[in-house]
């Protein structure tokens, strides 16, 4: 086995650990892979490992580390001749905007998202592939969430809906991702007093989540129950929160059980 074969083998193991959510093991092995790549001066390998490390740091909310690594990857590929219009550079810039957003540096993040969306829309016009559509949708969703964080919910909701519409058009998109988007959009509609619309989104989220094994299903039923309560549809509200309570008991989720009990208590007070 050549040194390059060994490097590929190590990287494959890193990716497997990440897929199995064994992130600490992945982190340790990535450092082994980096040493291997540096010893044989495998520049593409080094760049790839930095990129995996950056994404792992973002996943683990090690934000400063993620930022430094994303910057390093961007610098490396631009030194190799990539322009700022290169899809890889735009992709990294979206991740950097996300990191600064999570660091609550909203002004810098907004400048980053604005730049990325402009570039992504141009890229998507040139090449309307599913990959580019998914990247554009991801950027819109994240930007929408920034607007929620700065209390500009109408703008946030508009971007999140656009993102959801794009995501639904992508054949192999993860259903779990769509469920989270649907539930979150329902929550924003509810916050803005658009109760009927929130009920539609919560119902769609629950319908899809019922085909998957999702821990958040009980919370979605509570959200739906509270929305029904606002519309004075108390039977439907009781049924929804009652189902949430059952799910909470079955999954030993104390938080969901408590939320459901609080919801049922509120309904009883309205009768």
């Amino acid at each position: 086995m050549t040194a390059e074969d060994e490097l590929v083998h190590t990287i494959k193991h890193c990716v497997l650990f990440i897929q199995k959510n064994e992130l600490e093991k992945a982190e340790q092995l990535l450092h082994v892979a980096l040493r291997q790549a540096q010893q044989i001066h495998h520049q593409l390998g080094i760049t790839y490992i930095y990129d995996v490390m950056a994404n792992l740091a973002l996943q683990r909310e090690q934000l400063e580390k993620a930022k430094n690594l994303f910057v390093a990857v961007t610098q490396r590929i631009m030194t190799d001749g990539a322009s700022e219009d290169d899809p890889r550079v735009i992709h990294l810039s979206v991740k950097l905007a996300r990191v600064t957003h999570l660091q609550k540096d909203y002004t810098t993040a907004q400048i980053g998202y604005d730049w990325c969306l402009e570039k992504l829309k141009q890229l998507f016009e040139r090449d309307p592939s599913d990959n580019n559509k998914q990247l554009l949708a991801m950027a819109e969703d994240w930007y929408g969430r920034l607007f929620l964080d700065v209390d500009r919910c109408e703008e946030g909701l508009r971007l999140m809906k656009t993102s959801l519409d794009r995501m639904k058009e992508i054949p192999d998109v993860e259903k779990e991702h769509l469920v989270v988007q649907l539930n979150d959009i329902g929550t924003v509609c509810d916050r803005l007093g658009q109760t009927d619309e929130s009920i539609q989104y919560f119902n769609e989220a629950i319908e899809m989540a019922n085909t998957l094994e999702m821990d958040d299903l009980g919370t979605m039923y509570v959200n739906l129950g509270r929305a029904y309560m606002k519309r004075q549809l108390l039977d439907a509200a009781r049924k929804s929160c009652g189902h949430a309570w059952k799910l909470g008991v079955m999954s030993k989720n104390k938080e969901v059980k408590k939320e459901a009990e609080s919801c049922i208590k509120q309904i009883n007070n309205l009768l």
Side-chain angles (χ1 to χ4, degrees), residues 12 17 21 73 78 122-123 141 167 172 178 198 266:
K12 281 181 177 172
F17 280 134
N21 214 33
V73 176
M78 290 188 89
Q122 291 166 2
L123 177 65
D141 183 55
M167 284 290 190
D172 57 350
L178 292 179
S198 79
Q266 280 179 278

Side-chain angles (χ1 to χ4, degrees), residues 1 11 60 75 111 127 133 161 183 194 263 265:
M1 189 186 276
I11 289 171
R60 299 178 81 186
Q75 286 169 342
I111 292 165
D127 174 18
K133 184 185 281 187
K161 282 182 177 178
N183 181 63
Q194 300 167 10
C263 182
K265 191 176 174 184

Side-chain angles (χ1 to χ4, degrees), residues 136-152:
L136 176 55
M138 184 177 81
E140 286 169 333
D141 183 55
W142 284 350
Y143 198 6
R145 290 167 191 278
L146 181 143
F147 280 122
L148 300 187
D149 289 344
V150 296
D151 214 21
R152 289 163 65 182

Side-chain angles (χ1 to χ4, degrees), residues 153-164:
C153 294
E154 286 89 352
E155 289 161 275
L157 181 59
R158 192 177 67 248
L159 277 165
M160 289 168 79
K161 282 182 177 178
T162 307
S163 167
L164 177 66

Side-chain angles (χ1 to χ4, degrees), residues 73-270:
V73 176
T74 308
Q75 286 169 342
R76 288 180 68 86
I77 65 171
M78 290 188 89
T79 303
D80 273 351
S83 71
E84 63 173 31
D85 290 332
D86 187 299
R88 292 170 300 165
V89 173
I90 300 167
H91 196 157
L92 288 160
S93 300
V94 174
K95 298 271 180 75
L96 271 167
R98 176 66 172 164
V99 171
T100 49
H101 169 192
L102 292 174
Q103 288 178 317
K104 296 185 168 50
D105 182 357
Y106 298 126
T107 308
T108 307
Q110 188 170 353
I111 292 165
Y113 282 134
D114 280 332
W115 184 87
C116 291
L117 280 185
E118 187 187 329
K119 293 289 180 189
L120 281 168
K121 283 171 183 171
Q122 291 166 2
L123 177 65
F124 187 62
E125 277 176 27
R126 292 196 303 273
D127 174 18
S129 66
D130 282 342
N131 268 350
N132 288 339
K133 184 185 281 187
Q134 189 161 357
L135 184 53
L136 176 55
M138 184 177 81
E140 286 169 333
D141 183 55
W142 284 350
Y143 198 6
R145 290 167 191 278
L146 181 143
F147 280 122
L148 300 187
D149 289 344
V150 296
D151 214 21
R152 289 163 65 182
C153 294
E154 286 89 352
E155 289 161 275
L157 181 59
R158 192 177 67 248
L159 277 165
M160 289 168 79
K161 282 182 177 178
T162 307
S163 167
L164 177 66
D165 290 341
R166 288 194 211 277
M167 284 290 190
K168 281 180 171 179
E169 291 170 358
I170 299 164
D172 57 350
V173 73
E174 287 183 3
K175 290 280 185 282
E176 286 88 350
H177 184 88
L178 292 179
V179 169
V180 171
Q181 278 193 292
L182 286 161
N183 181 63
D184 290 350
I185 290 171
T187 305
V188 181
C189 288
D190 188 51
R191 199 197 294 187
L192 289 169
Q194 300 167 10
T195 310
D196 289 343
E197 209 173 341
S198 79
I199 288 169
Q200 286 174 4
Y201 281 107
F202 289 142
N203 269 317
E204 196 179 338
I206 286 165
E207 194 178 323
M208 200 179 287
N210 271 317
T211 65
L212 312 163
E213 281 185 26
M214 288 191 72
D215 297 336
D216 297 339
L217 187 56
T219 304
M220 291 176 217
Y221 272 106
V222 171
N223 290 343
L224 179 61
R226 291 192 185 283
Y228 278 139
M229 208 186 330
K230 283 184 181 175
R231 295 287 289 112
Q232 296 296 309
L233 299 165
L234 300 185
D235 285 345
R238 182 191 289 277
K239 187 178 169 188
S240 192
C241 289
H243 194 67
W245 184 83
K246 263 193 291 192
L247 286 171
V249 170
M250 281 158 54
S251 63
K252 296 186 170 62
N253 187 326
K254 288 178 185 171
E255 194 56 42
V256 168
K257 184 170 168 281
K258 189 176 157 188
E259 283 284 310
E261 283 168 356
S262 164
C263 182
I264 292 163
K265 191 176 174 184
Q266 280 179 278
I267 295 162
N268 290 339
N269 289 340
L270 291 170

Side-chain angles (χ1 to χ4, degrees), residues 53-67:
M53 282 178 160
N55 284 300
L56 184 59
L58 176 55
Q59 194 176 337
R60 299 178 81 186
E61 294 187 353
Q62 298 167 343
L63 300 177
E64 197 57 34
K65 184 178 177 181
K67 183 197 268 184

